[in-house]
Amino acid sequence: MKAESLSSIIGGFDGGQTVVSFSMARLTVDQLLEHADELFRRSLVTLGSRIALCGLAACDLITALSAFDGRVGSLLLLPASSDSVSGDRLVAAAGCTHRMDGEGIRALPNRLEEGCSSYADATQWLLPTSGTTGVPKLIGHTLLSLTRTVKRDVAKCRGFIWGLLYDPCRFAGLQVILQALLSGSLLSVSPSHDFDRQVDGLVADGVNALSATPTLWRKLLMDGRIRECPLRQITLGGEIADQQILDGLKHCFPAARIVHIYASTEAGVGFSVHDGMAGFPAAWLENERAPVPMRVRDDGHLLVRPATVPEGAEIAGRLNADGYLDTEDLVRVAGNRVFFSGRASGSVNVGGNKVMPEYVEEHIRHVDGVFDVCVYGKRSSMMGQIVAADIVPDPGVDMAGLRLDILNYCRSTLENWQIPGILRFVSGLQETPAGKRERLI
C-alpha cells in the first residue's frame, strides 16, 4: 500500500479552511495545494530526485513539503543557520540532484537521478544533527516516523492556533508544523527572525498553543507580552524542563495544559510528561508498557527503543544488540522519579571532576532574585576549566547582595569544584538558532 503523502492528508480537509497565517495574510487548503502543484510542475523532478531545501521560510517550506513528499526520493532539510561549508558537504553527502532556496529551485550540475528510487512510496526526510564530534550527521525519517505521535483529532484540534518559534527546518519546528497541518489547526508563522516581531505576531493571531524550549519560555515570560495570548496548550522540549519553569508557566497560565516532551532528531518523539513535575516516572524504566521502552546504562546514559528507528550510520553506531538507542543524555534516578542531568558531551572538566552545567543552574535558580542563569566552562591554565555563570537578575535587585547570596547558597549545596569561579550579571542570555541555551567557552 502506498504511504500517505503530506498533500493527500491536507487535501482531505475543507478547501476553504485557513491553514497558515503569516504577515497579515492567510493561506487556505486549496491555495496551499495549488501553490504546491505549481511548484512540482515547474521543478521537473522525478521519483529519483533528491532535493535539498536550504534555509526556507516557513511558508515556502510547507509548500515544498506538500509539493514533493511522496513524489521524490528524498528531501534534505537544511536550517537557515547552517554555514555554507557544512551545508554544501551535507548536500553532497545526501546525493542531492536539486537545490531549493530563497531564489527558487534548480538542478545541480553533474548529478544523475536514479531511474527507480527505493523511497518512491515514502519519501525520505533527511535531517542534519550534530554528533559528539560536532560534525553534522544525516538522520533519515519519513512522514510516518515524524508524525507517529501527532494528534490527528480534527474535532478537538481545529480550535487550536499554533505559533511557530522554532526554525521550520529543524526537528522541533517540523513537529509544530506537522501537528498543525495534520490536525486541522491554524499555524501562525512570522516572516521575521526578530524576537519582538515574532511575539507581536503570536499576540496578533491570538495563538493559544505554543511549543518552545525552556530557554525561549523564560525569555517569553521575562518579555511579558506572551501573557496576552490565551494559551491552552503549552509544550516544552529540546532542553531540561526544571520545576521552576514548569511552576512559572502554571502560575501565568493556570488553565493551560502543560507538557514537556522528550524528543530528538535521532530518536524522534520518545515520550511526553503531563503531570507538571520535572523528569519522568521511574516506573517507566524497564517497562514494556511505558510510552517508549527505556533503560539507564551503568554510566547514566539513557537508552530508548524507538517505535520507528531512523536510518543512517549515526543511528546504527548508537544501537545496541537489543535495539536500544544511546540518546547520549545523562539521567539520575531519585526516588520514584528520573531526572535529566544534561548531555554526556556537555560537562565542564574542573581538575578532572565533571560538572554538569544544568545541575549547577538548577541550584542557582533557587536563589531569590535570580530570574535566569547560564552556566558554562571557561578555560583555565591551572584546572583545565573553571565554572562560570551568567546571571539575569530580577528587576531592582541589589547586585552585590545577590552575588553574595548565590555564592553562599552554592557553597552550602554544591561541591567545591561545582561552585562558579566567575559570576557575571547580564540583561539577557543568548540562545542558539535551535532556541537552546548558548554555552560560551
Side-chain angles (χ1 to χ4, degrees), residues 168-238:
C169 287
R170 294 184 182 276
F171 181 85
L174 280 178
Q175 288 296 303
V176 174
I177 289 172
L178 294 173
Q179 175 61 64
L181 290 180
L182 272 59
S183 65
S185 302
L186 175 64
L187 178 66
S188 170
V189 300
S190 172
S192 173
H193 297 296
D194 178 73
F195 179 77
D196 286 337
R197 292 184 61 187
Q198 288 178 327
V199 176
D200 286 341
L202 300 178
V203 173
D205 280 338
V207 163
N208 57 20
L210 189 61
S211 178
T213 62
T215 290
L216 283 176
W217 276 117
R218 289 188 177 93
K219 189 173 181 178
L220 287 166
L221 292 179
M222 189 175 189
D223 175 86
R225 286 173 293 163
I226 194 64
R227 298 167 194 255
E228 299 178 38
C229 289
L231 291 180
R232 295 163 45 196
Q233 172 69 44
I234 290 174
T235 304
L236 301 91

Side-chain angles (χ1 to χ4, degrees), residues 195 212-224 226-227 236 239-249 358 361-362 365 370-374 392 429 431 435 437 439:
F195 179 77
T213 62
T215 290
L216 283 176
W217 276 117
R218 289 188 177 93
K219 189 173 181 178
L220 287 166
L221 292 179
M222 189 175 189
D223 175 86
I226 194 64
R227 298 167 194 255
L236 301 91
E239 295 176 311
I240 298 172
D242 63 21
Q243 198 60 52
Q244 185 190 57
I245 187 61
L246 293 172
D247 291 345
L249 288 169
E358 295 89 346
E361 288 173 356
E362 183 179 350
R365 288 197 190 99
V370 174
F371 180 83
D372 204 358
V373 55
C374 178
V392 180
L429 300 175
E431 67 265 7
R437 181 129 311 157
R439 302 189 190 279

